[in-house]
Amino acid sequence: MATLRVPILATSRSDGEGKTQNKEPNQIHRRDILNREDAYFHTNIEMTVCIHGVWDEKNNDMTPASFIVFTCEVTSLHEFKTRKLKLEVDFANVADSEEPPSNMSVVARGPQVISRYNKTRVSLRRERGVEGEIGADVAVKPGIKLHQLSSQEWETQYFEEAKSGVLHASSTDHRYTKVWWIFTENRKSRAGVSPGFRIAILLKRENNEPFKGNVAITEFDAGWRHKGAVAWHDFFSKKDPEVEKDNIIDVINFDPTDSSIRPKWLQNVEANQLGDLETEAGIDKQYARVWGVDL
């Protein structure tokens, strides 16, 4: 089980109730992964694509494969902006199965690395002045104000950097079963991390046995003012005894023999050719977009 590390404060139970838990323990392909709203941020993560198939049928490579996309929204409800966000996805075999394990491994991800500027120019002007009259011995007319003006211009972007990585299952099991993304704002523009993005994962599997996944926001930074506001709100707010239940995010149960999730916007993805999604630069941005950078 994974814990969302964004402060969960007392809010109405009508918002997001039950959307982090499976309807029954063995629910397959739960789409609503996380839905939360605290005093300052609204967070919503959905599994919008889940396609199980094979790697490369055209070339007789029938290795089982899966393509999974999560759509993420982290929206500020006040003046605070997300400075840094780390998101992790873990995959694991079903422990109590009598069948051979799925033994999935991450072979591609997207976005992999982004450091990109858009075309919006931002200008910063700094002005310093001296008010009051100038003495007669100065070669300037009395009463004039002296100012020093400096300016700076740069191309703004939603992200200073977006990067990702993968981790082994263990020191002896070198399958890649955990993948992470870190999104960091452009500190000059101070526009915050883009509130919307997709992350995509391409897996290879040994068979069509069920497996599990966890999703968690493991780092969240909206600046020191946000931390102070959260502490203040937390101290004076009445605690909701049900909030602790909202900290628990159930695992996602995957079953390759079950029906896929394929939205209308998804194009050019064939279940029998999932290996075509792998590129040297990771999964293409048409499947793993960052709003404001790729759109």
Side-chain angles (χ1 to χ4, degrees):
M1 293 180 294
T3 302
L4 177 67
R5 299 181 187 175
V6 179
I8 304 297
L9 305 179
T11 53
S12 170
R13 290 289 295 165
S14 63
D15 189 340
E17 184 174 5
K19 286 193 174 182
T20 64
Q21 284 84 41
N22 293 317
K23 294 179 181 178
E24 58 274 341
N26 296 322
Q27 180 184 353
I28 303 300
H29 299 162
R30 185 180 85 247
R31 300 190 185 198
D32 295 311
I33 306 305
L34 187 154
N35 183 266
R36 292 284 187 265
E37 186 171 296
D38 63 22
Y40 304 105
F41 283 90
H42 175 81
T43 304
N44 188 66
I45 300 177
E46 298 180 46
M47 184 166 66
T48 47
V49 177
C50 182
I51 299 176
H52 303 293
V54 298
W55 189 254
D56 188 359
E57 185 182 58
K58 293 179 181 177
N59 293 303
N60 297 318
D61 186 347
M62 304 301 290
T63 303
S66 298
F67 178 53
I68 301 165
V69 177
F70 296 99
T71 299
C72 309
E73 298 174 353
V74 182
T75 306
S76 175
L77 302 177
H78 294 278
E79 72 275 15
F80 303 113
K81 303 294 184 181
T82 306
R83 308 303 185 195
K84 180 181 179 181
L85 174 70
K86 184 175 183 180
L87 185 69
E88 295 183 5
V89 182
D90 264 306
F91 294 99
N93 293 319
V94 176
D96 55 355
S97 175
E98 296 181 357
E99 302 297 328
S102 175
N103 282 341
M104 77 304 297
S105 183
V106 177
V107 294
R109 63 194 186 273
Q112 187 162 304
V113 177
I114 293 177
S115 184
R116 184 178 302 152
Y117 293 87
N118 61 28
K119 297 179 181 179
T120 303
R121 304 289 299 184
V122 174
S123 296
L124 175 66
R125 293 166 60 89
R126 292 188 179 92
E127 189 172 349
R128 291 181 294 177
V130 177
E131 297 185 1
E133 294 188 353
I134 304 298
D137 55 334
V138 180
V140 209
K141 290 184 178 181
I144 199 169
K145 296 179 180 179
L146 298 182
H147 294 273
Q148 181 179 359
L149 181 67
S150 64
S151 64
Q152 186 179 12
E153 189 177 65
W154 63 86
E155 287 186 314
T156 186
Q157 58 175 349
Y158 274 105
F159 296 98
E160 180 179 85
E161 188 177 42
K163 55 189 176 182
S164 64
V166 289
L167 293 172
H168 288 151
S170 70
S171 59
T172 57
D173 184 350
H174 291 177
R175 291 177 301 111
Y176 293 115
T177 58
K178 175 183 287 188
V179 57
W180 54 262
W181 288 265
I182 296 177
F183 301 96
T184 309
E185 74 162 352
N186 181 335
R187 289 182 178 85
K188 285 188 175 180
S189 70
R190 297 181 180 178
V193 169
S194 172
F197 54 91
R198 293 193 193 116
I199 56 174
I201 305 164
L202 185 60
L203 300 172
K204 277 187 175 181
R205 299 175 281 104
E206 291 185 359
N207 52 45
N208 285 324
E209 289 301 310
F211 59 97
K212 296 183 178 182
N214 279 323
V215 177
I217 294 175
T218 56
E219 290 185 32
F220 184 86
D221 182 9
W224 65 270
R225 292 179 62 248
H226 170 253
K227 294 177 183 177
V230 167
W232 184 269
H233 186 280
D234 197 18
F235 181 79
F236 286 101
S237 295
K238 181 180 179 181
K239 299 300 180 182
D240 184 344
E242 296 295 324
V243 165
E244 288 302 316
K245 294 181 181 180
D246 283 344
N247 286 331
I248 304 303
I249 305 172
D250 279 356
V251 298
I252 311 164
N253 296 308
F254 295 94
D255 186 349
T257 65
D258 206 284
S259 57
S260 296
I261 300 173
R262 183 186 285 268
K264 292 182 179 180
W265 57 260
L266 188 69
Q267 302 292 329
N268 305 318
V269 176
E270 298 181 25
N272 293 331
Q273 291 295 134
L274 292 180
D276 293 347
L277 296 169
E278 182 186 29
T279 72
E280 185 179 5
I283 297 173
D284 190 84
K285 66 181 182 181
Q286 67 175 305
Y287 310 114
R289 293 189 184 278
V290 176
W291 274 243
V293 175
D294 294 319
L295 291 178

